Structures are given as structure tokens and as C-alpha cells.
Amino acid sequence: MSRGVGVTALTERVLRTDPAADPESIAFAADFVRLVLHTLGVDADAADDDTILRASLGPRTGLSEAALSALLSEARAPREQAGIGPQSLRAFGARFGRAHATLLAEETRDQIDLVTFAVLHGTGEALLLLDTLFAVAARRGGAITRQELEHLRSAARDLSVDEVLVTALLRKHAAGLIEGDRRVGLGTRTLSIGRATTCDICLADPQVALIHAEIQPQVSGGWRVVDQASGRPTLLNGAPVTSAPLREGSILQIAHFKLQLVVDDSGVPSLVVEGERSFTSLSVRHLRREIGDISLLDDVSFTVFSGEVVAVVGPSGAGKTTLLHAISAVTPADSGDVLLDGGDFHRLLRADRSLVGMVPQDDLVHSELTVEESLAYSGRLRFQGDVHRSEVDEAVGRVLEELDIAHIREQRIGDVLQRGISGGQRKRVNLGQELMSRSTRVLFLDEPTSGLDPRASQDIVGLVRQLADNGRIVFLVTHDLTPEVLTQVDHLLVLVAGGRVAFFGPPKDAARYFQVRTPDAIFNRFGDHSPQTWAALFKESKVHRKYVVTRDRLLGVDGVDRGAEDEDPPGRWPGFRHLRALTARYALTRLRDRTGLAVLAVQPVFLAVVVSIVFPEPTGRLLFMLSLSCLWFGMSASVRELIADRAIWQREARIGVGVGAYVGAKVLVLGAAVIAQCVFLAVVIFAVFGMGDYGHTPVLLAAVCSLIGLVGMSLGLFVSSAWTSSEAAVGTLPLLLIPQIAFSSIMVGIRHMPELAQKLTWLNIERYAFDAIIKAGTHTAYRTRKGIYEIQDLGGVLYRLGLKPDEPASDMGLSLAELCAILGGTTLVFLGATVAMVAIRTRRANR
């Protein structure tokens, strides 16, 4: 860029002081100093200003102290002031004459303003200039005044700096405006509250509306808070209000600010304003993910801060879910970084998944539990270390209050078949599970308003806004771009096909950028350009520089980024605690399912009656029915169990719950139920048929039956892990049971089977189960041709069935111990295969 006469003359004067100085560095420093002095004015006491300017310009330009001193001295001359306007020129001419005014106008013609400075020197230098402006303003009066704040906000707009970064710089240089305590007296006039500097109570943060609320005195005494249709929630004692009385002790919350009405000892009322703005930053940098030649994410970069809600929008297949999974480490990107406060976010998540909360579109809650129980068990899974019951109860109470569902804490959640809480309340419980841990800092919500009526949708979005105001970062995947939603949103992240960013910034800027009247018309513009063109246009735009580049650069400004790389991540969660919590929850849900519980209780009773009617004596066929029934108990009880709550499990797997704990809880609860069924049936048959006369003991018979039931349970769990629908899993049962009967030897003796069938019997579970039941005793009943039942030793029945060889007579085939070892080993094999299958499915689902 060409320089005017004034700039050249100043450069020459500085070069006389330091001939080795770089002319371009002098020119930059001159622009820098002029803009600071023009924006804030020339201060009479220049020493402190110069100290700050030297600290900013020295490292950047490399100019010597002599050169900087000469430049600062020259820059304060009237002819070197940037941005000389017509009024200033007229005043200068009246004082020094028209000739001097004309010369000044000529000399300052090519001097740049803030807008040109940002374009010419880039985002980093613009932030350095704004940071210096804040430092100088804060130094001059010991605090930044409202008038200076307005000048600084105007300068930020000219420099294309995101307003949230203004708040960050306020936190660095004048924290009193956004943090600490302030006291504002209440009188007889209305007080306005908002972000505008003209408000009586100025809350300098973009999360606050320009005029957010008013405190109005009442004729009858007292005060009333009235929301000014800001679109953002105004909370009174934790509940959103539009108009409500304000009493002593009441706490008003607007964004992260809390205003409490207090009365001092002399009876004077006032509002105590407290603010503690957190600047936790989540920075996504150059994320890319591909499958073959298909791009899922293409150079996605942006930065968000705590307290912000980001609406992720785009057509189907644009990579919205893929992006959220990449950020949350469910399925990391092929390349790129995700940083939390400058530290590796994924590294932190490997140690503590509670940093992230993921709320899917479907309500993944157990319908049999109450609201309180659902939250309590979620807390036990999410908390780290050994947590006392009182801590869990405290967290449950906090979440119930935060989500405004304390009044339904004891109600059953229910589902479409069993009436429970409403759809909107179920959404809140679904969300509450992710809020049990106070360490949750980033929330991902996938279509949280789907299926809800407009009123419930507005309530949910308002709740999302409140959760962000409490210091969280919230990503909201949605297709709803109505004003009711967008007023609660800080930024739109618009993705197009291939996972390319077409826009990131405030909703009000999105309509202007896409040249549409309202943001909901953005989708109509996607066909105007290819996805690659949309991404390229955005990267070249002022919006990208303002809301992407400047945010990323801010993280390097001293005093703003706190950094987390050196923090020690918390320890890993113990699996035993998860196993205990999952077992308790699963047992409770099974006990609450009265229909299912009744079926489990009736099965052994019904089969005992049937067997007692059909079989007059304990023949081999009765023992076969006993073994087959136990196998059935296990299979029928478990064949759907890993399908029914698979979505819930996959959600909990993302927070670090292990596959072993999940399958282990199923095994413990189902195993107990199956063992109870098997023991009942074995004891009844033992008593009814006098099995003691045949060498059986109730303990051994019940133990063998229980082992067979566990084999069936493990097989059922494996089938459940392999299928995606309950219908398919249940339909598999006949395909498994019929071969068990056919190859068991009860229908055709093994030695009479074809050779292939004989070999296949060694793979048949029922062969070993039947054999083990027989060998649990010493004799069986045998019906002679005359119809008389006699007691027969095991050799005969085993020989007819083909379960023992012809010779010698003492060889009874596999021993009971060997049979039990085979059955136990089979159980472990199926359980291991189940764990592996669940792990594979979980990884696939979370890609």
C-alpha cells in the first residue's frame, strides 16, 4: 500500500534517530500509535501510555528504544493524528490558519483507519491493537468508563473482532465490568439492565441483550422485574420469568450475572451484581475425515467459548453427526486437533468422559424407573471414584432443580405402552442424565425438539440456553431455524455436503451473508454453488476473519488463554463400580416389569405340572425334558436382552462404561433368575418323582440343572448380541432348539445315526446336558414291554442312547465332572463371544 507524504516524513525523522531501523516496521508502528491516540485521544500524561505502547510494539517491530521514543514523540504532533475529519480540520484551521489546515489535510490523506488497518495487517495485528487499546484505556482512569467502553466496542467492530472477544479483553484489563461485586441502589425510578452502555446496570457481555430487563418500582411498594422481550431467559430464583415481583433475597440471573436484592442495616435496598465469566475455549482446527474417496469432514475449523450455544445445521449427509463424533472422540477425525483451553481435548476425554454430555434424538431412558432413580443411576455411572450415596442424592437434587422437574421426581418415566411423564419431561430427564457430573463442560444435543409441540419445543430450547448460561458449551443439531430457536443461539455452524463449513457466526449475520430475508431460507441457497465453492467463499469472507480467525488468534493473547496441556487428567474409572450400578439398575427394571416377571415365575411351575402329568416315573425321557427345559429357561430369558436397551448401552459406552460391566450385569441378574427357575423345577421333580430312590440328591440335581440353564443363557445372550431386532432373535430360538432335540440322542440313538450326524452330536449342547442330568444319579426308571416300570442302572439307558461305548461295561463315557467342565467352558465361550460382539457393534455404532 502506498504511503502519503506525512508517513514518509515521519519515517525519515525516526530513521535519523536509528538509521538501522526497518522503514516498514516504522510505518506499521506509526499507524498503530496514531490509531490508539485517535481512538482514545491524546493524554496529557503520556508516560504510562508510552510504556504500554512500547510493550506492544517492541516485540512486534524490533525497533530500538531510541526509535520507539522518537516515533511516540512525533506521533503526538497534530499533523500525525490519524483520521482527521472535516470538523477537526475546521477547528485546526481556525486556530492555525487555512494554509496549515490544507497542509495537514494533504499530509494525512493516506493515513489509514481501523477498518483499513485490519485488512492491511491481518487479524493478529488487529487483536494486538485492540488489546493495546484496552490496556491504555484501563490505565488512564484506573478503570474503563462506559464512554470508553463504547469507543472500544466501536473499534472492535471496525477491526472485525468478535464482540465476545471484547468481553475476554475486558476480563483481562477491566474485570470489574464483568466480574466481582457491584452494588446499585434501588430508588423510585425504573432501572434498565442490558449490554448497552446507556443502561443503568450495564452488563458488558454479548450473552446479554442490549436492553435485557427492567427493575420497576411498584406503587404499592417493592419492585418488579420485567423481561424486555430480549429472547434470552431472565431467571428469578432459577425459573424463567417475563414479569415477577422482586423481593429481599431474590436472585436474578441474566447470562452469567447474578443480581441479588439486599437490604442493609439502615433499610436501604440495593442490587448486588456478581459476575464470573468463564472463558473455557473449545477450538476445532482443520478436522478432516474420509472414507475412501468420500469426504466426511473437510478442513473444519472454529472456536467456541463457554456460555455459547452453537446450532449445527445443514442438509442430510452434510456431516453434522460425524463432526460431533469427531469433536467428542467417539470417532476421531483422520487429522486435525480438538483443543480445550489449549490442551488436547481427546486426551482429557480418555481419562474422564464426563467432560462431555451427548443427548441423542431418541429418549434413551428406562421406562420402568422413576425420574429420580434414572438420574441417580446415571450419576453412579458418571461419577469418578467411590461416591457416597449422599453425593449422588445431592447431584440428583441439583439436576432436578436445574431442569425444573423436581415435582415429578417420584413418577415413573413410562413409555408408549405404559403411561408416564410427558414427552417434554422425558426430554429433560434424557438431558439430565448428562448433567449429573458437574465436570460436564460440553453438551451435544441431537434434535432435542423433535416430536414435541411448539410450546414444549420452546421450553426445551430455553432450557438449553440456561444450561449454556451456567458455563457450558452447547452444540445443538437442529433443522428448526424459527425465531424462537435462533434467539437462544449464539452461532450458526452451517455445513454443506462433504463436511465443509459454509458459515460460522451469529444468526443475524447468516441471513446477510447468504442474502436471504430470514435464516430459515438458507437451505434454499445451497444449490447456488457447489460445496467446494461455498467453503472457499466462506474462507475468503470477512465473517470468517471475524468469527473464526480472530477467535483462534485470541487464544494466543497473554492473559486470556488459560491452557490445560500440563494438567494431570483424572484417573480412570473402576469397572467394579460400574458393574455394581448396572446390576442394581437392571435388577430394578426387571422387578418393575411385572408381566415379564410373571412369565418367568409361571414357566417352571407350568412345566413341572406338565411333566408330572405326562411321566409316571423318572425315565430317561423325563430327564431329557428336564435338561431341555433348563436350556429353554436360559435361552428364552436372555435372547432379547441385549437388543432391548442397546441404544442406552451405546450411549453409556461413550462415557466410559466398559463392555464387561454391561454384559456382566446382564449375566448376574439373568443368571440369578434362570438359576431360580432351574432350582425350582429340579426340586419339584425331585420331590414328585422320588428321585432320591434313583441315586439323585436335590443339591447335585439342582446344580447340574442350573449349569445347563446358564449355558442356555449364554447362548441366548450371544444370539441377542448378533441380531438387531427382537423379532429376529426370538425367531432364532426354534432354529436352535430343534437341532438340540434332533441331535440329543433322545429321538434316535447316536450309534444309529448316519456318520455325519454322529459327528455333529459332539457340537450339540443338549447331548452334554442330557448326559449330565442322567449321570447326576445312579439309576433311572425303565418301562418293560409288559408296561411295568423297573429301576435300571445307567449303563443300559446310556447304551441305548449311544452315550457310552459297547465295551467294556464299566466305561460309562464322559464322566459327570467332564460333562460339567464342557458345559461350563461352553458358557464361558459364548459369554466371551457375546462381549466381543457387543464391543464390535458399539464401535460400529459410534463411528
Side-chain angles (χ1 to χ4, degrees):
M1 180 176 179
S2 62
R3 294 291 175 183
V5 176
V7 173
T8 303
L10 183 145
T11 302
E12 290 177 352
R13 288 192 291 270
V14 174
L15 284 172
R16 294 191 196 105
T17 304
D18 184 2
D22 178 25
E24 291 188 5
S25 296
I26 296 174
F28 168 81
D31 290 339
F32 194 98
V33 174
R34 288 194 197 98
L35 290 171
V36 170
L37 297 179
H38 174 66
T39 303
L40 300 177
V42 179
D43 190 51
D45 183 11
D48 290 338
D49 285 2
D50 289 354
T51 300
I52 295 172
L53 289 167
R54 282 191 180 92
S56 298
L57 291 173
R60 163 61 179 83
T61 62
L63 294 176
S64 65
E65 281 294 322
L68 285 174
S69 297
L71 184 146
L72 293 170
S73 176
E74 290 287 342
R76 293 182 182 278
R79 64 176 178 274
E80 298 297 342
Q81 296 299 301
I84 301 297
Q87 293 182 352
S88 299
L89 282 173
R90 283 196 295 270
F92 184 83
R95 175 68 176 84
F96 298 101
R98 178 176 297 182
H100 289 86
T102 302
L103 179 61
L104 177 61
E106 182 67 23
E107 289 182 341
T108 60
R109 179 177 300 167
D110 291 335
Q111 292 180 7
I112 63 177
D113 56 11
L114 291 168
V115 175
T116 309
F117 180 90
V119 174
L120 182 64
H121 295 293
T123 302
E125 311 301 359
L127 272 175
L128 178 63
L129 175 58
L130 189 62
D131 187 37
T132 304
L133 286 169
F134 271 85
V136 171
R139 192 283 309 166
R140 287 184 175 179
I144 297 177
T145 65
R146 291 192 181 190
Q147 184 178 8
E148 288 172 331
L149 176 59
E150 194 59 43
H151 290 324
L152 292 170
R153 282 177 171 171
S154 177
R157 289 191 292 270
D158 290 341
L159 291 169
S160 293
V161 174
D162 185 359
E163 190 171 351
V164 74
L165 306 189
V166 174
T167 307
L169 292 172
L170 277 174
R171 182 175 185 265
K172 176 182 177 183
H173 297 290
L177 285 174
I178 58 172
E179 296 179 350
D181 297 349
R182 286 180 281 164
R183 189 177 293 266
V184 180
L186 293 177
T188 57
R189 70 181 184 88
T190 297
L191 298 179
S192 58
I193 305 173
R195 187 173 81 249
T197 55
T198 55
C199 289
D200 299 293
I201 303 176
C202 177
L203 306 180
D205 193 281
Q207 305 297 330
V208 182
L210 284 173
I211 301 178
H212 201 111
E214 287 184 347
I215 305 296
Q216 300 176 353
Q218 302 298 292
V219 176
S220 58
W223 295 269
R224 174 173 288 271
V225 57
V226 180
D227 184 85
Q228 296 300 297
S230 62
R232 299 294 178 95
T234 299
L235 304 181
L236 181 62
N237 298 324
V241 296
T242 55
S243 178
L246 192 63
R247 300 182 175 87
E248 183 179 357
S250 296
I251 297 178
L252 188 65
Q253 182 174 349
I254 297 176
H256 65 278
F257 295 94
K258 292 184 179 180
L259 302 85
Q260 184 174 16
L261 176 58
V262 298
V263 179
D264 61 20
D265 296 337
S266 59
V268 178
S270 60
L271 280 177
V272 176
V273 184
E274 299 179 358
E276 187 177 348
R277 181 66 152 100
S278 171
F279 276 93
T280 294
S281 63
L282 182 71
S283 184
V284 174
R285 297 179 178 176
H286 309 296
L287 292 188
R288 298 180 185 272
R289 184 158 188 255
E290 297 178 348
I291 296 181
D293 296 331
I294 300 175
S295 172
L296 302 181
L297 296 175
D298 185 4
D299 196 21
V300 178
S301 298
F302 59 88
T303 298
V304 292
F305 296 103
S306 56
E308 293 188 329
V309 178
V310 179
V312 184
V313 301
S316 298
K320 299 184 293 293
T321 301
T322 302
L323 174 61
L324 299 192
H325 284 182
I327 297 173
S328 60
V330 172
T331 308
D334 299 331
S335 62
D337 300 304
V338 181
L339 307 176
L340 183 69
D341 287 340
D344 186 347
F345 187 42
H346 291 178
R347 170 177 166 269
L348 296 174
L349 287 178
R350 284 193 292 270
D352 184 6
R353 289 294 306 183
S354 69
L355 291 172
V356 162
M358 300 193 69
V359 183
Q361 181 175 347
D362 297 327
D363 297 328
L364 303 183
V365 289
H366 291 278
S367 59
E368 298 85 359
L369 300 179
T370 66
V371 171
E372 185 175 18
E373 290 168 344
S374 180
L375 294 177
Y377 282 115
S378 295
R380 291 173 62 181
L381 292 175
R382 285 162 172 78
F383 287 167
Q384 299 184 46
D386 294 330
V387 179
H388 194 270
R389 179 64 180 269
S390 61
E391 296 179 69
V392 176
D393 293 341
E394 179 183 354
V396 169
R398 170 180 58 80
V399 172
L400 290 171
E401 293 295 334
E402 188 173 13
L403 300 181
D404 193 25
I405 51 176
H407 59 288
I408 60 169
R409 65 188 306 159
E410 296 181 357
Q411 291 188 28
R412 192 82 65 88
I413 293 175
D415 53 22
V416 294
L417 299 177
Q418 183 181 9
R419 185 176 180 181
I421 60 179
S422 69
Q425 291 169 335
R426 193 175 294 111
K427 290 283 185 185
R428 292 178 182 240
V429 175
N430 196 28
L431 177 57
Q433 293 181 122
E434 301 295 337
L435 300 178
M436 286 299 296
S437 173
R438 287 186 180 273
S439 61
T440 301
R441 299 165 74 177
V442 186
L443 275 175
F444 299 94
L445 288 80
D446 188 2
E447 292 283 356
T449 61
S450 63
L452 299 181
D453 61 78
R455 175 63 181 177
S457 297
Q458 293 178 29
D459 290 342
I460 290 296
V461 176
L463 175 62
V464 170
R465 178 71 259 167
Q466 295 175 38
L467 295 174
D469 288 342
N470 288 334
R472 301 179 181 94
I473 296 171
V474 181
F475 288 89
L476 176 68
V477 177
T478 183
H479 292 96
D480 187 355
L481 297 182
T482 58
E484 291 77 13
V485 172
L486 294 182
T487 54
Q488 312 297 332
V489 169
D490 297 290
H491 294 282
L492 280 182
L493 175 60
V494 181
L495 297 177
V496 290
R500 299 174 175 89
V501 179
F503 180 83
F504 177 81
K508 60 182 177 61
D509 291 351
R512 188 182 311 114
Y513 177 80
F514 285 100
Q515 297 179 351
V516 294
R517 182 166 298 178
T518 56
D520 58 344
I522 289 174
F523 287 89
N524 299 330
R525 295 294 315 278
F526 291 152
D528 294 354
H529 303 291
S530 68
Q532 295 87 343
T533 302
W534 277 118
L537 289 173
F538 177 63
K539 288 181 180 179
E540 296 171 358
S541 67
K542 294 181 179 179
V543 178
H544 181 269
R545 179 161 57 88
K546 183 174 183 178
Y547 295 111
V548 177
V549 179
T550 58
R551 284 176 167 234
D552 188 54
R553 290 293 182 90
L554 178 75
L555 300 181
V557 177
D558 182 37
V560 175
D561 180 28
R562 294 175 295 173
E565 186 66 36
D566 295 332
E567 295 179 2
D568 291 328
R572 294 185 177 275
W573 297 358
F576 178 73
R577 178 171 51 83
H578 288 166
L579 174 63
R580 187 172 57 185
L582 289 171
T583 301
R585 185 181 69 182
Y586 183 48
L588 184 59
T589 58
R590 295 287 296 189
L591 290 173
R592 292 268 176 84
D593 182 7
R594 296 182 179 179
T595 302
L597 201 62
V599 171
L600 289 178
V602 167
Q603 279 183 348
V605 176
F606 178 76
L607 290 176
V609 171
V610 170
V611 170
S612 300
I613 293 173
V614 173
F615 298 98
E617 295 292 337
T619 62
R621 293 183 176 180
L622 180 144
L623 298 179
F624 171 78
M625 283 298 299
L626 177 59
S627 65
L628 187 66
S629 297
C630 293
L631 193 65
W632 162 259
F633 289 155
M635 294 175 64
S636 62
S638 60
V639 75
R640 290 172 295 186
E641 291 308 299
L642 297 180
I643 299 174
D645 62 354
R646 178 171 291 160
I648 296 178
W649 149 246
Q650 289 171 350
R651 175 183 183 177
E652 292 173 343
R654 298 187 188 114
I655 64 171
V657 180
V659 177
Y662 172 64
V663 176
K666 299 288 186 183
V667 170
L668 290 176
V669 176
L670 291 175
V674 169
I675 288 174
Q677 289 180 299
C678 294
V679 169
F680 177 87
L681 183 60
V683 170
V684 170
I685 288 180
F686 181 88
V688 170
F689 290 95
M691 300 289 286
D693 297 336
Y694 295 86
H696 288 274
T697 63
V699 173
L700 182 58
L701 183 62
V704 174
C705 288
S706 297
L707 180 57
I708 296 171
L710 293 178
V711 177
M713 177 203 68
S714 65
L715 177 58
L717 286 174
F718 176 71
V719 171
S720 182
S721 69
W723 291 108
T724 58
S725 70
S726 297
E727 292 78 9
V730 173
T732 305
L733 282 178
L735 301 179
L736 294 173
L737 284 175
I738 292 174
Q740 299 299 324
I741 298 171
F743 289 101
S744 65
S745 76
I746 191 66
M747 299 183 69
V748 179
I750 292 176
R751 63 170 45 87
H752 300 301
M753 293 180 181
E755 183 178 356
L756 177 60
Q758 292 182 25
K759 294 179 179 179
L760 291 176
T761 60
W762 293 104
L763 302 176
N764 194 52
I765 297 173
E766 180 58 20
R767 167 180 176 154
Y768 303 104
F770 184 24
D771 199 357
I773 288 286
I774 294 173
K775 290 174 180 173
T778 57
H779 298 79
T780 62
Y782 176 70
R783 187 174 185 272
T784 65
R785 293 183 178 180
K786 297 180 179 181
I788 301 173
Y789 287 92
E790 298 179 351
I791 296 179
Q792 181 185 37
D793 63 28
L794 299 184
V797 64
L798 293 173
Y799 178 78
R800 287 196 303 275
L801 296 172
L803 298 176
K804 70 176 292 295
D806 296 346
E807 297 295 342
S810 59
D811 188 352
M812 303 294 285
L814 297 173
S815 67
L816 179 60
E818 291 173 326
L819 292 169
C820 289
I822 292 172
L823 292 173
T826 303
T827 301
L828 295 177
V829 168
F830 279 127
L831 290 180
T834 299
V835 169
M837 183 64 72
V838 171
I840 292 171
R841 284 194 171 277
T842 301
R843 284 196 296 270
R844 288 177 178 174
N846 291 336
R847 283 182 179 176

